[in-house]
Amino acid sequence: MIHVSKLTKYYGDYAAIRDVSFDVAKGQIVGFLGPNGAGKTTTMRILAGYLTATSGRATIDGLDVFWRPVEVRRRIGYLPENCPLYTEMRVNEYLRFRAGLKGAHGKKQRQRVDEVVDRCWLTDVRRQLIGTLSKGYRQRVGLADSLLAEPAVLVLDEPTAGLDPTQSREPRKLIRDRGGEHTILLSTHILPEVEMTCNHVIINHRGQVAASSSLDELTKEAREKTVVIVESEEPIDTQAILDTGGISRMENIAVPTGTRLRITQEGSQDRTAKLCKLAVENRWRVVEIRPQRQTLEDLFVRITGQEEAAEEAVAAS
């Protein structure tokens, strides 16, 4: 449904994205992940027809976004990060206005507005001025707008940005519910949002695609490494630990009570029991042995080259 091939965008000498390529199949909900400045918004704007690429190609439903922009826009619902709304209009008025721009008039217009108002939980505020709404409700109005034309593709740029955890629940539920009815490309840097809504993940870093896989595959990859924290009141025989096998890295971290080891284990096998046995055999004065299963967040940090900073934060904890 969405095909992107070697997409590149320069702002002067600065490359916001370089040779970005990915595919989104019909009915998928795809999380487009990346740290700030990774090129997510630039890619979204090109797909929505708001920007032109310097080079490369992008198609939606087989239509080139550069050569056939009007036909493409008829097939997508786009929610930008900072949703522009007419704050002096009431919710009903705004949605009727937007529906008219999208070709819905008369009975069809009333029907579509009623449907999206209900679907986006706006019934209680449909006669209220948009300027008086909270940010959470404004985001719902933007989502309702993107659904008015019953688009085949939804392009959502940071749909829950700035919302508190309670406000974020309903947009996430709406996105999950729309899976299958629409093909959804969802840009975010909030990992729990991806885990709760998406079935495929694309990770962008420094303007390029660093990883693209199903959520299940990425989660499995993340769990192939386990970190075990071993803290003792006295120095530990690290050679004895290395002899247990399956240890890919071991670091000494100074702590006030003695020594802490941060051990990275390869594979899914948990060696905590072996470490406990070693502690007993060597009579280490152990304070703590604690496994930490790697998460999608840890994998994201590793892929985007920020692992060193993350490890420093763990060491300081």
Side-chain angles (χ1 to χ4, degrees), residues 5 64 103 167 183 209 251 281:
S5 176
D64 192 288
Q167 293 172 328
T183 301
V209 174
E251 301 160 271
E281 291 173 350

Side-chain angles (χ1 to χ4, degrees), residues 11-188:
Y11 295 102
D13 295 330
Y14 172 70
I17 56 172
R18 292 172 294 164
D19 295 326
V20 168
S21 299
F22 61 85
D23 290 287
V24 179
K26 185 177 181 179
Q28 276 190 329
I29 304 177
V30 176
F32 195 38
L33 276 171
N36 292 328
K40 303 186 301 296
T41 295
T42 297
T43 304
M44 295 291 213
R45 287 176 176 172
I46 291 172
L47 291 175
Y50 281 78
L51 288 176
T52 56
T54 304
S55 63
R57 186 166 184 257
T59 64
I60 292 178
D61 200 14
L63 301 172
D64 192 288
V65 299
F66 178 75
W67 294 108
R68 303 179 69 180
V70 176
E71 292 94 328
V72 167
R73 288 175 189 174
R74 290 194 180 111
R75 287 166 170 77
I76 67 172
Y78 176 50
L79 177 67
E81 181 178 356
N82 297 307
C83 186
L85 301 170
Y86 294 122
T87 56
E88 72 278 7
M89 297 179 75
R90 300 183 187 278
V91 173
N92 258 355
E93 292 171 338
Y94 174 77
L95 292 175
R96 286 199 301 268
F97 168 68
R98 293 290 295 162
L101 291 178
K102 297 177 182 185
H105 303 283
K107 183 179 179 181
K108 182 180 179 182
Q109 181 186 106
R110 292 191 296 274
Q111 184 180 35
R112 287 303 304 150
V113 169
D114 287 344
E115 285 178 7
V116 298
V117 162
D118 180 63
R119 189 177 292 178
C120 297
W121 304 284
L122 292 166
T123 304
D124 293 342
V125 298
R126 65 187 303 162
R127 293 181 177 83
Q128 194 167 324
L129 288 172
I130 292 174
T132 66
L133 298 177
S134 68
K135 184 164 185 178
Y137 271 107
R138 292 190 193 194
Q139 205 75 349
R140 293 189 214 178
V141 175
L143 279 168
D145 182 2
S146 69
L147 293 169
L148 277 170
E150 301 180 89
V153 176
L154 289 175
V155 178
L156 310 177
D157 192 1
E158 304 278 3
T160 61
L163 304 185
D164 63 37
T166 302
Q167 293 172 328
S168 299
R169 286 183 178 182
E170 289 171 350
R172 287 172 182 167
K173 183 178 185 300
L174 178 65
I175 292 165
R176 285 197 306 271
D177 291 347
R178 298 283 70 78
E181 292 183 32
H182 308 272
T183 301
I184 302 174
L185 182 63
L186 164 72
S187 135
T188 185

Side-chain angles (χ1 to χ4, degrees), residues 224-256:
E224 287 178 354
K225 285 191 177 183
T226 302
V227 171
V228 179
I229 302 297
V230 180
E231 186 175 334
S232 173
E233 293 181 353
E234 58 189 11
I236 298 172
D237 183 1
T238 55
Q239 187 58 48
I241 294 176
L242 289 172
D243 290 342
T244 65
I247 306 299
S248 61
R249 189 170 59 208
M250 183 162 49
E251 301 160 271
N252 277 292
I253 305 168
V255 293

Side-chain angles (χ1 to χ4, degrees), residues 228 265 270-280 289:
V228 179
Q265 303 176 165
D270 189 353
R271 291 172 177 80
T272 306
K274 286 187 177 181
L275 292 171
C276 290
K277 184 179 178 183
L278 277 174
V280 172
I289 297 181

